[in-house]
Amino acid sequence: MTHDLLGRHRAVLPDWLALYYEEPIEITHGEGRHVWDAEGNRYLDFFGGILTTMTAHALPEVTKAVSEQAGRIIHSSTLYLNRPMVELAERIAQLSGIPDARVFFTTSGTEANDTALLLATTYRRSNTVLAMRNSYHGRSFSSVGITGNRGWSPTSLSPLQTLYVHGGVRTRGPYAALSDGDFIAACVDDLVDLLGHTRPPAALIAEPIQGVGGFTSPPDGLYAAFREVLHERGILWIADEVQTGWGRTGEHFWGWQAHGRHGPPDIVTFAKGIGNGMSIGGVVARSEIMNCLDSNSISTFGGTQITMAAGLANLNYLLEHDLQGNARRVGGLLIERLRAAAAHVPAVREVRGRGLMIGIEITRPGTDEADPATAAAVLEAARAGGLLIGKGGGHNTSSLRIAPPLSLNVAEAEEGAAILEDALRSIP
């Protein structure tokens, strides 16, 4: 059955549409932190559909909200008043920390970042954008143009002039050997020098923790230091919270808060987890930035009633059950367990992350050279053991990505860690 579906997939879908595993699986249903494939195999899910199933599979509160809304009306577009959209926008505006915030809903993180770029370049009258090396911001023409990860940049053509800044990866690059304070100072000096050689940019866009890049991050405070330089020049700060938002890092509700010494960003983009699988993305910005467009616009599918109902139910569950606190507690246990397991595996260069956002970097033993074949082998071994994880990386690295639903419990964390330890120890 699965083999037949794979043949049909290959016959009608693009060759560049990636599939995990030598024998790809069809996931048919899920519950809690587990999913099942078409062959009846049960897996502990440590990737959540790329950090999108944020609370749990088949969460009753979300499925009930979706079902009830579907029985009333599914969609009407933004041309009509939409109560669930207004209610979710009110909640997100308050949670964002941005004063006098306005919220615009999209259908994906890519579209959210597109919108943020449109706002910033229009507001600043500049098409120059600062972005981080090793970054990923989506698959559209404009978001590919600011993505600093060669493996996810199929074209160098872009409507934007993009300048890439140091700092998104702490343990690689020319400043890796410095202390955290000196690392930040060197990156700030580099930014200042770069700005002296170009016309004023519209904005800096940055992921607080780089997702597709392998869950890499700078020392806390880097973007606060960048913000001082940017603010002096009127340059906006866009925080791409598509993967880091909603409490996943445990320590903070938003990833930018690890760098928030001078307050919130000018623009925040979000997506993935808020819908728990429904297609929701969006942008939060100060009113003068959001309202800078001087022509009409709508969104046919952004903010549609059924996705907003799911987002409201999911956000309520997340806050009422303190899933951010759970990510901090269970994530802390999980990362220490994985570090202990990896300590005796020469191919593991680093175990990093915070909360339930953990990366394991695989290299050839004794070197910094990427080993994608071994990373793929660990992915396969984990799947054979009943665990689904992700992979990614930049800077010529190969990293395993671990991001379970935020309701993960201690027993499941221990189970997943044990499977992953066996998979790592299976490396020849």
Side-chain angles (χ1 to χ4, degrees), residues 26-217:
E26 176 193 2
I27 295 176
T28 57
H29 62 287
E31 182 179 348
R33 276 71 56 194
H34 292 86
V35 295
W36 285 258
D37 69 16
E39 311 301 323
N41 298 306
R42 176 178 178 263
Y43 303 95
L44 184 58
D45 185 3
F46 268 27
F47 203 39
I50 319 178
L51 292 83
T52 299
T53 305
M54 178 172 67
T55 48
H57 290 280
L59 186 71
E61 289 81 353
V62 172
T63 56
K64 179 183 178 184
V66 168
S67 177
E68 289 179 350
Q69 182 61 54
R72 293 190 292 270
I73 187 168
I74 292 175
H75 165 76
S76 67
S77 90
T78 55
L79 290 171
Y80 305 93
L81 287 172
N82 178 333
R83 189 173 299 273
M85 182 170 67
V86 171
E87 291 175 351
L88 185 55
E90 290 171 338
R91 299 291 301 279
I92 292 173
Q94 187 272 324
L95 289 166
S96 74
I98 296 175
D100 194 22
R102 298 292 188 271
V103 182
F104 177 75
F105 289 105
T106 67
T107 60
S108 69
T110 290
E111 190 187 349
N113 285 331
D114 272 343
T115 303
L117 293 169
L118 173 64
L119 292 171
T121 54
T122 301
Y123 184 79
R124 289 276 294 155
R125 309 305 299 171
S126 169
N127 76 330
T128 300
V129 174
L130 303 172
M132 304 305 295
R133 300 176 188 189
N134 194 52
S135 60
Y136 175 83
H137 298 288
R139 48 155 296 279
S140 65
F141 189 46
S142 66
S143 58
V144 162
I146 58 165
T147 287
N149 186 317
R150 186 175 62 184
W152 294 89
S153 299
T155 177
S156 61
L157 301 175
S158 175
L160 303 168
Q161 179 186 35
T162 307
L163 305 173
Y164 292 101
V165 181
H166 281 295
V169 183
R170 176 65 185 90
T171 61
R172 285 181 176 270
Y175 307 144
L178 301 177
S179 67
D180 283 355
D182 288 343
F183 180 97
I184 291 174
C187 292
V188 170
D189 287 345
D190 176 72
L191 173 62
V192 171
D193 180 71
L194 178 63
L195 292 174
H197 295 282
T198 185
R199 297 185 64 81
L204 166 73
I205 185 168
E207 306 156 272
I209 298 176
Q210 295 180 327
V212 170
F215 292 169
T216 60
S217 63

Side-chain angles (χ1 to χ4, degrees), residues 231-318:
H231 185 71
E232 290 174 357
R233 295 158 174 80
I235 301 167
L236 304 179
W237 173 25
I238 304 169
D240 179 343
E241 295 277 357
V242 169
Q243 297 198 31
T244 51
W246 318 111
R248 176 164 290 281
T249 69
E251 297 175 32
H252 303 286
F253 191 78
W254 302 105
W256 67 259
Q257 289 172 314
H259 309 270
R261 186 167 71 238
H262 301 294
D266 300 291
I267 302 174
V268 170
T269 62
F270 61 86
K272 291 194 182 290
I274 182 60
N276 205 46
M278 298 295 282
S279 296
I280 304 177
V283 182
V284 195
R286 300 197 318 269
S287 60
E288 70 268 23
I289 297 173
M290 185 68 80
N291 294 333
C292 75
L293 304 183
D294 62 1
S295 62
N296 293 325
S297 189
I298 63 167
S299 181
T300 303
F301 291 110
T304 193
Q305 284 91 336
I306 196 165
T307 61
M308 297 295 96
L312 276 166
N314 195 43
L315 182 58
N316 287 338
Y317 186 92
L318 174 104

